[in-house]
């Protein structure tokens, strides 16, 4: 097909070309090309690809095939084109063969409901495109995103977030007038437009001058003013409509767009119109071999077909491709199909189904069966549609196309009752089918639909059957994802009849842990381990070991560490990435609760390195980057934490929401209240309260509390009400495992309110203290170093007798020295006020000096505020410089040396070089009049510096 006249769009094509040139030097860039149907998007993209400054180029289009569809269709087309034009051929068994049928045997889909197969596939596509782009650049075009299947949309978003420095220019076209309110892209596009290096380009109707230029180019003469005015009025400046007017000007004014477009078709021969009708039933494009079979079944011989296709191409209704034909525009295909009578459409669908069932040369089985499912369903051929949907669902599963897998299985459910022998045809029962649908919904991230399908099946099954037990487990895990208490009921009911008791016990332990029922969870986890070992169920053993190790981290003993490491080893041997990563995260948390900061950071880094080794770093690394950043924040290394987060994609999912909580906490510590509040608002957008679990919102409430606790204006009443709201909504205070982290902050709010003693403060403080005191005295408080520190600090703030409070502070301070960071500042601050309360100003000054030494290496707004408050309480003499002429940095070095750190370790803690540490230490020894570091530490202790 020769390209149509290119008019009125030079500015837009120049924009695309200059953007592509920037991609070659600045890294990947994306343009969302939006415009109504027929406005000239495809023609503009042709011009762009013809002149792109990047060496390699490829184009792929989304297909309109209805439910399920052909997953990843545009990327399959892109990859095929890149391979055909000299790109490396994917090796047999590689992830890319999932999208390239015929390029070798694809890896088998792994069982389970995790997303790691999909992650590997996404990373493989990303890596291939990066390699093909180097060094001279790659232009990619994805057309008709409004028709994209969910998996295509997911892969596209992943690429936009991860292409980074690769010289890739991606242009994506979207038909704006198809984006109704409920369309999946209506919400997604604004989010994409906010991504870095993503821009939007809108195509407006042609101007009067451009329409005149188009008419002159197509007709060979300049239109008179009346004709031009009529064209503008009836076409609206839409170039496709202008062409259609000119194709048959004698036809008068059409009644609407369809009649206008059909003007191109109506003058053609009857056989040509018939062939076009058959082609339109396939969509806007059709394979030549397939059309040949359908035409022959419809009475059109090969010679007549060739003649008809030649006429359609010459009339510029169809264009020829490498393998078949494409309509001049999708609107034209829609108009031709709309002109068919219902019986004609049904017969055409039936003939397509018959041709596809036996296979079509040039079409892979996955492509053939996807189209077969569509045509058989449209032809109301229920038995054939059932079998095709079932087979196509298997292909979608193998391609890690989770949403399409689910949609096709739901099509099978829809057709089941319409096919009397469905069970025999598919070799499964209806209950087993619904179990599969439930599991597919879990994998696709839709636990609500999983619950619905499982509930439908359970209503018809014998409650004592094995299948019912499996469905109860599946529904229970879906309830767990939804944060609903019914999860435990289902798992307990399943335990009576499930053939794999370890599976049930392991999942029950996990649910109980999330609910805060730690004692029950421990019993269930231990039972799961015994059951798993008895029957050789190593997957359940690993799962239960990781759960039990996490449960027991509050003990501070070695047993939970060994459990976690053993669970990680087993999961790694089995290839269970989900359990392995959960184990590494829990291991890091356990190490953190012991104040083993270096080991915790190393564990978080190991998880990131392991994800890279498994090929899922860029697709799932965001959550792991959050874990490393969280460890860095706990260590007081906020700049490093921020750098880690900035280097990872933000994500539009759970990991993205968790990142926002970290951003909010860091911003609050730095006194950036606007950023903190904005991050929390983004969290609630990503994880709406009504659809999220209780556990996720605990961290959200804590971040809010942190801001209010330190924000100027004594917002302690508001902070107290946030805590009470969190207790009512998510049990943030009385949930022992989480209150160990928030207890001291809650107690500080109580202390603040009691000290201020304005009307109502005392009552509010007592109300706030009640659940915290209850959990502190409940006997389940963690005895790990972190648990003891949090408990002693909370009790110290809550205690109103200064002498008794001093005992708590004396026990808390050595633990805080080990923890460092904000925990140490918090303890020094509380102990300072306790010292003032007992009139021990000497101790108060000593505590202030120690806090100032911490501030020298932990210069945050929150620390400065607390130090300023302490200075103000002591008066003008409180801010005296350290004794003996020491600088604050020299004091910091002495403090670290007193902890037994080497020069290298001191440098790592203070972010300076080992050589600089040596200089500071030498200067300090000279000022203190000592000859070695041991004597320097002893003298510093005498001065109250360490």
């Amino acid at each position: 097909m020769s390209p149509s006249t290119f008019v009125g769009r030079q500015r837009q094509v120049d924009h695309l070309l200059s953007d592509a040139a920037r991609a070659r030097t600045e890294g990947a860039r994306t343009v969302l090309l939006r415009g109504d149907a027929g406005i000239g998007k495809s023609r503009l993209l042709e011009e762009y690809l013809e002149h792109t400054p990047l060496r390699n180029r490829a184009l792929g289009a989304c297909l309109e095939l209805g439910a399920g569809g052909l997953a990843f269709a545009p990327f399959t087309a892109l990859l095929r084109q890149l391979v055909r034009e000299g790109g490396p051929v994917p090796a047999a068994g590689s992830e890319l063969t999932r999208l390239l049928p015929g390029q070798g045997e694809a890896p088998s889909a792994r069982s389970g409901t995790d997303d790691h197969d999909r992650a590997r596939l996404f990373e493989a596509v990303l890596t291939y495109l990066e390699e093909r782009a180097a060094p001279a650049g790659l232009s990619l075009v994805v057309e008709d995103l409004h028709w994209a299947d969910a998996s295509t949309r997911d892969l596209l978003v992943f690429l936009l977030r991860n292409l980074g420095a690769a010289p890739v220019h991606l242009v994506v076209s979207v038909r704006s007038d198809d984006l109704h309110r409920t369309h999946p892209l209506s919400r997604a596009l604004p989010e994409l437009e906010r991504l870095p290096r993503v821009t939007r380009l809108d195509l407006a109707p042609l101007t009067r001058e451009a329409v005149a230029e188009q008419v002159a180019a197509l007709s060979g003469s300049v239109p008179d003013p009346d004709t031009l005015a009529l064209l503008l009025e009836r076409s609206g400046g839409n170039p496709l409509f202008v062409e259609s007017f000119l194709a048959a000007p004698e036809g008068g004014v059409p009644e609407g767009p369809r009649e206008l477009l059909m003007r191109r078709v109506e003058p053609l021969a009857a056989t040509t119109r018939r062939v076009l009708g058959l082609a339109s039933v396939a969509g806007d494009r059709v394979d030549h071999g397939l059309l040949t079979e359908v035409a022959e079944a419809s009475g059109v011989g090969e010679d007549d077909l060739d003649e008809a296709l030649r006429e359609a191409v010459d009339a510029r209704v169809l264009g020829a491709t490498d393998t078949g034909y494409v309509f001049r525009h999708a609107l034209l295909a829609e108009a031709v199909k709309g002109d068919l009578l219902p019986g004609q459409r049904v017969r055409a669908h039936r003939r397509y189904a018959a041709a596809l069932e036996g296979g079509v040369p040039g079409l892979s089985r996955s492509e053939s069966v996807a189209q077969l499912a569509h045509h058989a369903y449209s032809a109301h051929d229920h038995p054939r549609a059932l079998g095709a949907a079932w087979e196509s669902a298997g292909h979608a599963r193998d391609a890690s196309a989770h949403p399409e897998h689910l949609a096709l299985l739901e099509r099978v459910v829809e057709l089941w009752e319409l096919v009397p022998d469905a069970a025999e045809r598919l070799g499964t029962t209806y209950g087993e089918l619904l179990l599969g649908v439930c599991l597919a919904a879990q994998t696709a991230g839709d636990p609500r639909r999983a619950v619905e399908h499982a509930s439908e099946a359970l209503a018809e099954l014998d409650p004592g059957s094995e299948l019912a037990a499996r469905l109860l487990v599946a529904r229970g895990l879906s309830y767990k994802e939804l944060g609903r208490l019914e999860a435990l009921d289902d798992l307990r009911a399943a335990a009576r009849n499930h053939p794999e008791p370890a599976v049930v016990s392991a999942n029950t332990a996990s649910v109980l842990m999330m609910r805060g029922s730690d004692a029950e969870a421990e019993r269930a986890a231990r039972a799961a381990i015994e059951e798993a070992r008895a029957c050789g169920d190593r997957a359940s053993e690993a799962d239960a070991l990781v759960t039990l190790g996490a449960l027991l981290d509050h003990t501070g003993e070695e047993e939970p560490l060994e459990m976690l490491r053993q669970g990680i080893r087993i999961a790694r041997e089995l290839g269970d990435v989900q359990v392995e990563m959960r184990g590494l995260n829990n291991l890091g948390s356990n190490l953190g609760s012991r104040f083993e900061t270096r080991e915790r950071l190393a564990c978080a880094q190991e998880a990131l390195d392991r994800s890279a080794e498994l090929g899922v770093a860029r697709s799932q690394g965001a959550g792991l980057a959050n874990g490393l950043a969280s460890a860095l924040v706990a260590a007081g290394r906020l700049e490093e934490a921020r750098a880690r987060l900035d280097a990872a994609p933000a994500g539009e999912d759970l990991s993205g929401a968790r990142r926002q909580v970290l951003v909010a906490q860091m911003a609050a510590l730095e006194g950036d209240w606007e950023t903190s509040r904005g991050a929390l608002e983004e969290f609630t957008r990503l994880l709406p309260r009504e659809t999220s679990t209780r556990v996720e919102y605990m961290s959200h409430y804590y971040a809010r509390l942190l801001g209010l606790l330190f924000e100027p204006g004594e917002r302690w009443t508001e902070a107290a009400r946030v805590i009470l709201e969190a207790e009512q909504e998510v049990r943030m205070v009385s949930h022992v495992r989480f209150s160990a982290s928030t207890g001291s902050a809650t107690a500080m709010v109580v202390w603040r309110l009691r000290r201020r003693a304005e009307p109502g403060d005392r009552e509010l403080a007592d109300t706030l203290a009640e659940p915290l005191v209850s959990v502190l005295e409940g006997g389940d408080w963690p005895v790990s170093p972190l648990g003891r520190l949090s408990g002693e600090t909370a009790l110290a703030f809550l205690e109103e007798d200064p002498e008794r409070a001093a005992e708590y502070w004396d026990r808390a301070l050595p633990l805080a020295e080990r923890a460092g960071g904000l925990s140490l500042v918090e303890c020094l601050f509380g102990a300072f006020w306790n010292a003032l309360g007992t009139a021990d100003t000497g101790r108060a000054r000593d505590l202030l000096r120690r806090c100032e030494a911490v501030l020298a290496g932990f210069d945050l707004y929150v620390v400065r505020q607390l130090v300023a408050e302490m200075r103000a309480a002591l008066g003008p003499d409180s801010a005296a410089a350290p004794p003996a002429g020491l600088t604050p940095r020299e004091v910091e070095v002495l403090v670290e040396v007193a902890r037994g750190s080497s020069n290298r370790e001191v440098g790592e803690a203070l972010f300076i070089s080992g050589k600089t540490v040596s200089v500071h230490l030498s200067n300090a020894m000279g000022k203190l009049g000592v000859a070695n570091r041991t004597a320097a530490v002893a003298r510093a202790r005498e001065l109250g510096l360490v």
Side-chain angles (χ1 to χ4, degrees):
M1 178 177 65
S2 59
S4 60
T5 303
F6 186 72
V7 299
R9 304 296 190 203
Q10 193 58 49
R11 180 178 62 82
Q12 288 84 356
V13 78
D14 288 344
H15 171 85
L16 292 178
L17 295 174
S18 63
D19 206 52
R22 290 183 63 187
R24 186 167 54 190
T25 57
E26 300 176 12
R29 302 183 63 81
T30 300
V31 178
L32 299 176
L33 180 63
R34 299 181 55 161
D36 291 347
I39 206 68
K41 299 184 294 299
S42 295
R43 182 65 187 89
L44 174 63
L45 292 173
E46 289 175 16
E47 194 75 10
Y48 159 71
L49 285 176
E50 184 177 346
H51 297 94
T52 178
L54 307 183
R55 176 178 297 173
N56 300 309
R57 66 203 71 187
L59 179 147
C62 302
L63 306 177
E64 187 181 25
L65 280 182
L70 185 60
F72 302 116
F75 289 104
T76 293
L78 288 170
L79 292 169
R80 277 178 174 160
Q81 189 173 344
L82 291 173
V83 170
R84 189 167 58 245
E85 294 180 3
V89 178
S94 70
E95 294 296 330
L96 283 183
T97 55
R98 296 182 189 275
L99 303 188
L100 293 171
Q103 293 292 337
E105 183 179 355
S108 58
R110 298 167 178 84
S111 61
T113 58
D114 64 62
D115 218 16
H116 292 92
D117 281 339
R118 188 176 176 89
R120 292 185 183 94
L121 172 63
F122 282 19
E123 297 239 3
V125 174
L126 173 61
T127 300
Y128 190 90
L129 295 180
E130 288 173 330
E131 292 173 352
R132 197 70 183 115
L138 173 62
S139 286
L140 297 176
V141 168
V142 174
E143 286 201 276
D144 300 324
L145 190 65
H146 47 278
W147 285 339
D149 54 278
S151 292
T152 289
R153 294 195 298 269
D154 292 343
L155 176 52
L156 176 65
V157 170
F158 171 73
L159 293 175
L160 294 186
R161 294 183 184 280
N162 289 279
L163 276 167
V168 175
H169 193 233
L170 180 59
V171 186
V172 183
S173 72
V174 183
R175 190 193 290 185
S176 303
D177 49 347
D178 263 13
L179 299 184
H180 50 78
R181 183 178 59 83
T182 60
H183 194 287
L185 284 179
S186 293
R187 177 184 170 185
L189 282 177
E191 302 300 331
L192 294 180
E193 291 168 15
R194 289 206 292 263
L195 291 175
R197 295 191 288 187
V198 174
T199 58
R200 171 176 169 176
L201 180 61
D202 291 315
L203 285 190
L206 294 178
T207 63
R208 180 185 181 88
E209 292 73 17
V211 170
E213 184 180 351
Q214 182 185 13
V215 172
L218 291 172
S219 65
S221 61
V222 177
D224 61 73
D226 291 340
T227 301
L228 182 58
L230 179 62
L231 278 171
L232 278 170
E233 178 185 353
R234 296 303 180 187
S235 71
N238 184 301
L240 179 64
F241 294 167
V242 171
E243 286 189 38
S244 298
F245 266 115
L246 295 176
E250 68 284 353
V253 178
E255 295 180 5
R258 187 169 70 87
E259 290 76 12
L260 173 62
L261 293 168
M262 287 300 293
R263 285 184 169 189
R264 282 187 173 278
V265 177
E266 288 164 356
L268 302 177
T271 301
T272 303
R273 295 198 303 272
R274 187 177 181 188
V275 168
L276 288 172
L278 293 172
S280 71
V281 172
D284 68 335
R285 61 197 67 221
V286 64
D287 177 82
H288 175 76
L290 178 58
L291 181 59
T292 298
E293 289 194 35
V294 171
E296 184 176 356
S298 302
V300 180
E302 189 173 348
D303 292 339
D304 289 340
L305 175 64
D306 288 342
E307 185 177 340
L309 289 170
R310 170 56 59 194
E311 183 181 19
V313 169
D314 290 343
R316 302 193 63 253
V317 176
L318 291 181
T321 68
D322 290 341
T323 58
Y325 307 93
V326 59
F327 274 87
R328 170 76 178 84
H329 195 281
L331 278 181
L332 188 52
E334 293 167 15
V336 172
K337 184 177 178 180
D339 200 51
L340 296 175
L341 295 173
Q344 292 175 306
R345 285 197 295 271
V346 169
R347 283 193 297 274
H349 281 301
R350 187 180 301 126
R351 286 163 182 159
Y352 271 106
L356 288 160
E357 190 168 43
V360 177
L363 288 182
S364 69
R365 183 59 187 170
S366 59
E367 292 170 314
S368 295
V369 78
Q371 293 188 48
L372 172 57
H374 165 68
H375 288 294
Y377 184 80
S378 299
H380 313 302
D381 185 344
H382 300 141
R384 188 177 272 162
L386 177 80
W390 179 254
E391 183 181 350
S392 193
H395 289 296
R397 179 200 59 226
D398 293 342
S400 298
H402 304 323
E404 291 67 42
H405 180 215
L406 174 60
L408 286 159
L409 287 180
E410 290 182 329
R411 172 64 58 80
V412 174
V413 171
E414 176 191 347
L415 293 167
W416 186 275
E417 290 187 358
L418 301 176
V419 182
D421 59 344
E424 290 75 15
R425 284 176 176 270
L426 303 185
T428 189
T429 67
Y430 189 61
E432 290 167 342
L433 169 63
L434 288 177
L435 174 59
V437 180
C438 176
L439 297 176
Q442 288 177 348
T443 307
D446 196 339
R448 293 182 186 278
R449 282 160 76 183
V451 167
E452 291 170 3
H453 287 298
S455 298
E456 179 186 349
L458 285 166
E460 303 294 331
L461 286 173
D462 173 6
S465 66
E466 177 184 320
L467 180 57
R470 293 186 183 279
L471 279 157
L472 283 167
V473 170
R475 188 173 71 176
L477 294 179
S478 299
Y479 278 139
K480 173 188 171 183
E481 289 299 310
L482 295 169
R484 288 173 56 176
L485 299 179
E486 294 96 322
L488 199 55
D489 296 333
D490 276 357
L491 290 169
R492 284 172 171 162
R496 292 188 288 269
N497 302 297
H498 201 284
E500 300 168 346
V503 172
V504 182
S505 297
N507 284 305
T508 301
S510 177
V511 171
L512 286 165
M513 182 175 69
M514 289 185 63
R515 287 185 57 187
S517 304
D518 287 6
E520 286 185 84
E522 181 180 345
R523 287 194 295 271
R526 290 191 184 279
I529 293 170
E530 291 181 9
E531 292 162 350
R533 288 172 176 169
C535 66
D537 183 355
R538 302 192 74 216
S540 293
E541 181 185 358
D543 190 11
L545 282 167
V546 168
T547 298
L548 187 56
L551 276 166
L552 298 180
D553 69 355
H554 68 281
T555 64
E557 298 177 356
E558 292 300 312
E559 182 190 24
L561 285 177
E562 178 52 35
M563 287 177 170
L564 287 167
R565 288 172 176 141
Q566 187 179 359
I568 292 167
R569 283 196 299 271
I570 295 173
R572 188 169 294 181
E573 291 170 9
L574 297 176
D576 191 336
V577 180
Q578 188 175 33
V579 172
E580 180 185 347
M581 291 302 166
R582 185 164 67 88
L584 285 168
N585 285 335
N586 288 334
L587 179 59
S589 176
N590 189 306
L591 293 166
S593 73
R594 298 163 185 265
F595 304 141
E596 297 178 13
T597 302
R598 289 191 182 91
E599 292 79 2
R600 180 185 181 185
L601 290 171
C603 188
Q605 185 62 55
E606 180 186 352
L608 272 172
D609 294 343
R610 179 67 176 147
S611 71
E613 181 184 337
L614 293 169
V616 297
R618 289 184 286 191
S619 52
Q620 300 196 344
L624 299 173
N626 288 343
L628 180 54
S630 180
L632 289 165
V633 170
R637 295 157 62 172
L638 270 64
E639 287 304 317
E640 288 182 74
R642 185 172 289 106
R644 286 290 187 170
L645 292 179
D646 289 344
E652 284 289 315
D653 52 10
L654 181 60
S655 63
R658 289 174 175 171
R659 170 178 175 161
Q660 294 304 319
V661 167
L662 284 170
V663 170
Q665 290 179 5
M666 288 190 292
L669 292 173
E670 295 172 321
D672 186 352
W673 316 116
E674 183 178 353
T675 296
S676 183
R677 283 191 289 268
L680 291 177
E681 289 174 2
E682 180 67 2
F683 174 95
T684 57
R685 185 190 69 78
L686 293 171
L687 288 185
R689 182 68 188 91
E690 62 276 9
T691 60
S692 302
T693 64
R694 182 175 67 193
V695 172
E696 294 302 333
Y697 261 75
M698 287 184 178
S699 58
H700 176 270
Y701 277 117
Y702 176 65
R704 285 175 63 188
L705 168 61
L706 193 63
L708 293 169
L709 187 58
F710 297 109
E711 193 169 348
E714 297 190 357
R715 303 184 66 181
W716 305 321
T717 299
E718 188 177 347
R721 299 202 183 284
V722 166
I723 297 171
L724 291 174
E725 177 189 343
E727 173 62 12
Q728 180 180 3
E729 292 291 326
V730 300
R731 295 179 61 234
M732 186 177 80
V733 179
S734 58
H735 192 299
V736 177
R737 296 184 61 78
F738 198 81
S739 56
S741 301
T742 61
S744 59
T746 301
M748 184 185 278
V749 175
V750 173
W751 177 80
R752 290 285 197 188
L753 290 169
R754 286 173 174 170
R755 281 177 52 82
R756 186 172 64 179
E758 292 186 0
D761 279 357
R762 181 75 196 192
E763 293 79 3
L764 181 58
D766 290 346
T767 301
L768 188 61
E770 182 179 354
L772 181 56
V773 170
S774 177
V775 74
L776 282 166
E777 297 177 349
D780 293 328
W781 192 265
V783 294
S784 64
L786 176 61
R788 297 202 309 274
L789 172 59
S790 180
E792 299 288 357
T793 303
L795 288 167
F797 274 126
L798 292 172
E799 180 56 63
E800 296 187 78
D801 179 346
E803 297 298 333
R804 292 182 62 186
E807 296 175 8
Y808 291 125
W809 288 121
D810 286 344
R811 288 194 292 268
L813 277 168
L815 291 166
E817 290 283 358
R818 291 175 57 192
L822 190 60
S823 295
L824 176 56
V825 174
E826 185 180 56
C827 272
L828 291 170
F829 176 80
F832 166 89
W833 284 102
N834 177 256
L836 286 186
T838 59
D840 189 349
T841 55
R843 176 170 167 77
R845 284 195 175 91
D846 172 60
L847 290 164
L848 171 58
R849 281 196 298 269
R850 291 168 66 184
C851 204
E852 288 173 329
V854 175
L855 175 62
F858 196 52
D859 187 14
L860 293 176
Y861 167 85
V862 167
V863 182
R864 291 196 302 272
Q865 183 189 38
L866 295 179
V867 167
E869 195 173 337
M870 295 161 71
R871 287 171 176 166
L874 279 178
D877 294 335
S878 65
L886 295 170
T887 66
R889 179 60 89 181
E890 289 163 358
V891 172
E892 287 179 67
V893 170
L894 286 170
V895 169
E896 293 297 326
V897 171
R899 292 174 176 168
S901 301
S902 66
N903 283 7
R904 180 184 61 79
E905 292 168 335
V906 173
E908 290 176 355
L910 300 180
F911 308 107
I912 56 179
S913 69
K915 183 177 180 180
T916 303
V917 171
S918 179
V919 171
H920 283 306
L921 187 57
S922 296
N923 291 339
M925 289 190 295
K927 293 174 182 179
L928 294 173
V930 297
N932 56 56
R933 57 197 296 142
T934 302
V937 169
R939 179 63 180 144
R941 285 201 174 100
E942 293 174 5
L943 295 172
L945 298 176
V946 299

